[in-house]
Amino acid sequence: MSSIITSIGICHPAKEIKNSYFEDFLDTSDQWIRERTGIERRFFALENEFTSDLCVGAVQSLSENYNKELGDIDFVIVATTTPDQTVPSVASQVQNKLNIKQAGCIDISAACGGFVYGIILAKGLIAAKTHRKVLVIGAETLSKVTDFSDRSSCILFGDGAGAVIVEASEHNGIFNALTDTDGSYGKELYLSNRALYLNDEKIVADNKLHQNGRVVFKWAVSTLVKKIRELLSVNNTDLQDIDFLIPHSANIRILEAVCKELDFPIDRCMESIRQYGNTSAASIPIAWYNGIKNGKIKPKDNLLLIGFGGGMTCAGICLRNEIDIR
Ligand code: COA
């Protein structure tokens, strides 16, 4: 059985955080943040606002461009690094809040690659003919695990969510995928409140995100270039046939470097970094949604999605956009 993606929605908290916010307590500036990352603002959840709330908001946004039932969704996948709690899963809370009966529910932990992993799993469930309508959400409240004393990381992250419905279909709109991981980079980007050792090195277990920005940056550029080429090859296609690239939005300079290396026009690379910061698992659907909303991405456009992040892990997929929400 083939599958297509039939609708998309996004959500962000109402609280907007401009770069100047950080100038009050850190040695940084709006100019540095814009020049080194591209970020102009991001949104932070309130104290009593959690990842599951943003998931529900993204599904409500999705329902505005979906004129069919949501009650027959038979599987819910939430990709997140920042679940409300470890158990129960965010997916099961979303199922309950949306009153979706009899759905299988799982959270997946693949950091900023999580949303693409979710689509790959949904496609597999439908291909196996065990499920027909899968809700895939990438959602984060990273502000809750940000170390606000670390000026090189705290300026990067934002909160948000993006949701899609993957459905069984007569015609195929989701093509080949690839996944890859290099666990030896684990300690370069981690969030832990338990393990004291990672890759045989002692780490800080304080439930805050820690990263080695320069190492992650270099790994991201070289990995993305290599994996995009591999993904094109497993789809027996080339970049000329791709209308829009949607890589995870971690830093505008990563996207610029990748497009330059691939000789791909930067205006056909969709990003969410400038207006939302790095929203990890939510960054790809947010960029996709806004690309459609602002009239750039149209029905039948070929998209290449590629996520990467803590692990270090990477996942990419080629698909056809079927959605029009203007
Ligand atoms: N404001 C002002 N100066 C800052 C700063 C800030 N917020 N953060 C770092 N600096 C300083 C550093 O202290 C350093 O100063 P020094 O030269 O006196 O030592 C200087 O800026 C350059 O630091 P560097 O780490 O080389 O900056 P950078 O250009 O690599 O940018 C990151 C830092 C974190 C923005 C960048 O490395 C990055 O985006 N990495 C990838 C992160 C990522 O993708 N994470 C998620 C993966 S899913």
Side-chain angles (χ1 to χ4, degrees):
M1 179 55 75
S2 300
S3 46
I4 57 171
I5 295 180
T6 49
S7 59
I8 187 165
I10 64 167
C11 176
H12 62 75
K15 189 172 155 195
E16 180 185 337
I17 304 289
K18 295 220 162 72
N19 291 339
S20 53
Y21 166 85
F22 299 95
E23 293 173 350
D24 288 345
F25 60 94
L26 286 174
D27 180 13
T28 189
S29 65
D30 175 48
Q31 189 190 357
W32 191 96
I33 298 170
R34 281 173 194 253
E35 284 177 7
R36 303 308 291 167
T37 71
I39 299 168
E40 294 168 16
R41 64 162 192 189
R42 77 288 288 142
F43 298 90
F44 283 175
L46 299 175
E47 208 179 328
N48 61 353
E49 195 173 25
F50 296 94
T51 297
S52 63
D53 299 315
L54 300 183
C55 290
V56 170
V59 177
Q60 280 160 351
S61 149
L62 168 157
S63 64
E64 287 163 21
N65 60 73
Y66 188 66
N67 51 17
K68 291 191 269 172
E69 268 284 295
L70 288 175
D72 59 349
I73 286 169
D74 49 18
F75 208 92
V76 181
I77 298 173
V78 175
T80 186
T81 309
T82 45
D84 303 12
Q85 63 279 310
T86 311
V87 177
S89 65
V90 177
S92 66
Q93 295 307 291
V94 171
Q95 178 269 340
N96 182 47
K97 287 180 185 181
L98 294 172
N99 199 22
I100 300 167
K101 308 277 186 206
Q102 297 184 341
C105 289
I106 52 166
D107 288 0
I108 54 175
S109 168
C112 314
F115 179 74
V116 177
Y117 273 94
I119 292 181
I120 295 169
L121 294 178
K123 176 182 155 77
L125 289 171
I126 291 168
K129 296 190 183 160
T130 54
H131 296 80
R132 292 192 59 85
K133 193 190 276 193
V134 184
L135 175 62
V136 178
I137 309 175
E140 305 286 3
T141 44
L142 292 168
S143 63
K144 295 187 190 295
V145 294
T146 296
D147 177 358
F148 286 99
S149 66
D150 177 4
R151 68 175 180 168
S152 71
S153 72
C154 73
I155 47 99
L156 294 171
F157 303 114
D159 301 340
V164 293
I165 290 186
V166 184
E167 266 181 87
S169 165
E170 299 280 291
H171 72 276
N172 186 28
I174 307 181
F175 310 116
N176 293 332
L178 67 73
T179 56
D180 197 8
T181 300
D182 186 344
S184 70
Y185 277 84
K187 68 176 188 311
E188 308 301 348
L189 176 50
Y190 68 88
L191 163 62
S192 177
N193 56 9
R194 280 198 209 113
L196 292 174
Y197 288 87
L198 196 55
N199 301 133
D200 297 328
E201 270 184 40
K202 198 159 190 184
I203 57 158
V204 194
D206 58 1
N207 202 29
K208 297 272 179 260
L209 267 168
H210 296 273
Q211 72 167 353
N212 186 339
R214 282 184 211 185
V215 171
V216 173
F217 192 105
K218 278 190 197 151
W219 179 91
V221 174
S222 63
T223 303
L224 282 178
V225 169
K226 193 164 138 232
K227 293 295 159 188
I228 288 171
R229 289 190 174 127
E230 272 178 45
L231 185 56
L232 292 167
S233 166
V234 297
N235 279 283
N236 203 17
T237 188
D238 55 41
L239 264 182
Q240 274 103 302
D241 295 324
I242 301 297
D243 297 297
F244 293 97
L245 270 186
I246 316 185
H248 163 51
S249 273
N251 183 322
I252 201 72
R253 291 188 295 124
I254 293 178
L255 305 190
E256 287 167 352
V258 168
C259 286
K260 190 166 177 230
E261 184 68 24
L262 293 170
D263 197 20
F264 189 80
I266 189 76
D267 62 328
R268 290 206 275 123
C269 179
M270 298 290 98
E271 55 83 18
S272 53
I273 190 78
R274 292 184 201 278
Q275 298 301 319
Y276 299 84
N278 177 344
T279 54
S280 190
S283 88
I284 290 177
I286 291 175
W288 183 0
Y289 177 94
N290 285 324
I292 302 172
K293 194 89 179 162
N294 67 25
K296 278 192 160 188
I297 301 178
K298 301 195 172 53
K300 308 293 171 220
D301 277 348
N302 288 318
L303 310 182
L304 188 156
L305 276 46
I306 187 154
F308 62 92
M312 301 294 294
T313 187
C314 177
I317 195 157
C318 289
L319 52 86
R320 189 174 297 126
N321 177 59
E322 311 276 348
I323 310 163
D324 193 356
I325 50 174
R326 282 167 294 154

